[in-house]
Amino acid sequence: MTRVEPRIETGILSAYRALLGEESVRELTALAHGLRGRRMVMVNSTATGGGVAEILHRLVPMLTELGVPTSWEVLPAEARFHDITKRLHNALHGHGAPLTDADHEHYFAFTRQAAERLTLDGDIIMIHDPQPAGLAAYRRKPHQTWIWRCHIDLADAQPDALDFIMTRVAHHDAAVYSHATFVPRMTPGFLTPPSIDPFSPKNVELDDDRMHELLAPYGLPGDVPWVTQVSRFDRIKDPLGVIEAFRLARKREDAHLVLAGGSADDDPEGAAVLAEVRERAGGMSDVSVLALPSDAHQVINALQRRSTVIVQKSLREGFALTVSEALWKQRAVVASAVGGIPLQVVHERTGLLVRSVEGCALQLVRALRDRALRRRLGRAGHDHVRMNFLHTRELRDYLALALHLVRQLARAGQAHG
Ligand code: UDP
């Protein structure tokens, strides 16, 4: 099974209409009209865990509702391929060992086989991230438009890894990045950051009773403020750094740290990182480590809403949907000034940016102490997300790009015909 059926209800567009006004959806409908008769296919490497799956579960049905029938294909799962692509992912983030020739050969062999199994018969194919980037070389048809959508921070990529991936990307018509600093030198790129859905189970409003019901099984203390980081257990999210910063902050302010996360199907390192975190937190009664199942969306929603401060101390970050999720919920956010985070956290306006463990501790103390500051940041953060990081904006950017590329292809066809 490679096709994913998103967990979805219909009628999301009318919810957006009610939230943002008629114009926001009219604009999308007009763009979608220009693509009528065309089908879109999204391709990534996992249906659960991580931000890309989170987004596709909502964008795929929204596109279909707009009149651009869209399907979602996931690469078949294979341990060796996941191991190689995780190392490629790390190298693209600037650390770890480079891939070997044998790794490259396996990447190609696996991709060739996957290309035969996936249903890639749409008009616009959007490939997410490095794992499926090799497909275009094997499956591209002349009438198709292929877009590579990069969600990761390539600013410090190791040259070999970057060269490997950009050679695959060259088989696409366009590359899309979340931030200008991620666009590799001397290559063209379109920019659009990711986004969240206020109507998904992750973000929808919850009343106090429902929050209590969702959180009761975890036995978290009710009498101290919570500082929470929600993230896959990945070193790039620096969970050990969060514990260290919290330990320093805790000397000055009473609080409880919650590290909540699961793993992604395509991430082979999650279990080892979770074990490291558990070991480091062992014996600290003011730290809770919650290993959540991949469908714990409402639990995460409740955790974010119930926390006094949300922290995202990533070392590298494409975007961090978790930050927009927290800002939408009017939380005070303390987050690293890396990758796409500063797009969301404007220092002192929508949240607090940090660059070190000590800086993180300092800002945690400030946020824990100052209710008025939290309220001001939370309100401004919510407005910032509403203006910039909801799915309607990301969809508009994708539709506009697809329309531009499809028209370009049609013009080129006429010129040759
Ligand atoms: N998430 C989740 N369960 C977890 C950890 C994270 O559902 O155990 C969600 C989180 O709420 C967010 C997404 O997965 O919606 C993670 O996206 P982000 O961009 O923050 O990071 P990524 O995992 O893609 O690096």
Side-chain angles (χ1 to χ4, degrees):
M1 263 294 286
T2 57
R3 173 156 301 189
V4 184
E5 296 301 335
R7 41 165 204 268
I8 197 68
E9 62 279 15
T10 50
I12 316 177
L13 293 179
S14 56
Y16 272 98
R17 213 174 265 124
L19 178 72
L20 300 174
E22 182 63 37
E23 190 51 35
S24 62
V25 175
R26 206 185 348 246
E27 194 179 31
L28 296 179
T29 315
L31 286 164
H33 188 71
L35 291 169
R36 70 189 176 283
R38 296 204 159 79
R39 285 174 304 128
M40 200 157 172
V41 183
M42 299 287 186
V43 187
N44 82 322
S45 69
T46 176
T48 52
V52 180
E54 182 81 20
I55 291 170
L56 291 182
H57 272 289
R58 310 295 293 183
L59 285 196
V60 166
M62 285 176 84
L63 281 162
T64 302
E65 202 180 333
L66 280 164
V68 183
T70 301
S71 55
W72 175 10
E73 295 282 310
V74 168
L75 288 176
E78 198 224 35
R80 182 160 176 214
F81 184 74
H82 285 167
D83 172 61
I84 291 168
T85 51
K86 177 70 186 189
R87 283 188 284 121
L88 174 62
H89 187 90
N90 288 342
L92 289 169
H93 275 130
H95 60 86
L99 297 186
T100 63
D101 289 347
D103 292 333
H104 289 160
E105 275 166 32
H106 189 79
Y107 180 96
F108 294 133
F110 178 86
T111 303
R112 197 179 303 119
Q113 278 177 13
E116 284 163 18
R117 288 181 56 185
L118 299 177
T119 308
L120 301 174
D121 55 359
D123 305 284
I124 301 147
I125 315 290
M126 188 175 279
I127 299 291
H128 294 263
D129 281 341
Q131 299 93 331
L135 290 169
Y138 300 112
R139 273 297 293 275
R140 220 199 131 116
K141 303 246 172 60
H143 73 277
Q144 291 181 322
T145 296
W146 283 63
I147 298 170
W148 187 59
R149 205 297 180 226
C150 175
H151 294 268
I152 62 180
D153 179 350
L154 299 178
D156 291 316
Q158 290 178 3
D160 287 356
L162 190 60
D163 190 47
F164 177 79
I165 205 64
M166 294 315 288
T167 307
R168 323 270 79 77
V169 173
H171 292 272
H172 297 69
D173 298 287
V176 181
Y177 301 88
S178 298
H179 193 278
T181 58
F182 303 172
V183 185
R185 286 179 60 180
M186 312 297 285
T187 67
F190 292 86
L191 299 182
T192 186
S195 58
I196 64 162
D197 186 345
F199 308 108
S200 72
K202 180 71 53 66
N203 298 312
V204 75
E205 294 268 353
L206 298 171
D207 64 33
D208 286 348
D209 288 348
R210 180 69 183 136
M211 290 216 289
H212 184 76
E213 187 187 345
L214 286 160
L215 296 174
Y218 300 97
L220 297 167
D223 51 349
V224 280
W226 301 351
V227 172
T228 299
Q229 174 160 300
V230 173
S231 276
R232 290 178 297 105
F233 288 101
D234 186 324
R235 293 191 183 92
I236 253 163
K237 309 288 183 181
D238 200 19
L240 300 183
V242 177
I243 295 177
E244 187 53 23
F246 178 76
R247 210 178 50 76
L248 295 175
R250 182 69 183 73
K251 290 181 184 162
R252 298 170 57 196
E253 239 359 78
D254 198 12
H256 190 86
L257 175 64
V258 183
L259 289 168
S263 65
D265 290 348
D266 59 345
D267 181 0
E269 292 177 348
V273 178
L274 174 59
E276 283 168 24
V277 172
R278 285 215 160 112
E279 193 186 325
R280 186 68 62 90
M284 291 175 76
S285 58
D286 47 8
V287 180
S288 298
V289 180
L290 309 184
L292 300 176
S294 62
D295 60 353
H297 303 289
Q298 290 224 337
V299 173
I300 290 174
N301 185 345
L303 269 175
Q304 289 168 328
R305 287 182 188 279
R306 170 67 178 74
S307 297
T308 302
V309 182
I310 295 288
V311 61
Q312 190 61 54
K313 211 205 145 301
S314 305
L315 302 173
R316 290 256 177 265
E317 195 58 78
F319 183 70
L321 290 179
T322 48
V323 169
S324 273
E325 289 163 2
L327 295 178
W328 179 251
K329 295 166 184 122
Q330 305 204 20
R331 297 299 86 197
V333 173
V334 173
S336 300
V338 297
I341 289 178
L343 292 173
Q344 306 170 76
V345 177
V346 180
H347 189 52
E348 299 285 350
R349 197 169 74 75
T350 65
L352 301 170
L353 288 176
V354 299
R355 292 180 170 76
S356 64
V357 165
E358 293 73 17
C360 185
L362 189 84
Q363 299 295 11
L364 285 177
V365 170
R366 248 186 97 203
L368 283 166
R369 280 187 182 163
D370 190 340
R371 187 155 194 252
L373 172 69
R374 291 199 304 272
R375 189 171 292 176
R376 178 169 64 75
L377 297 175
R379 284 193 182 143
H382 176 86
D383 290 347
H384 189 49
V385 171
R386 182 188 167 98
M387 295 284 290
N388 299 293
F389 303 118
L390 299 186
H391 278 352
T392 35
R393 196 271 310 141
E394 188 173 2
L395 271 180
R396 189 191 61 208
D397 292 348
Y398 286 165
L399 288 169
L401 175 62
L403 195 55
H404 162 72
L405 294 172
V406 161
R407 286 184 173 159
Q408 189 171 279
L409 186 69
R411 277 198 299 273
Q414 281 163 8
H416 288 114

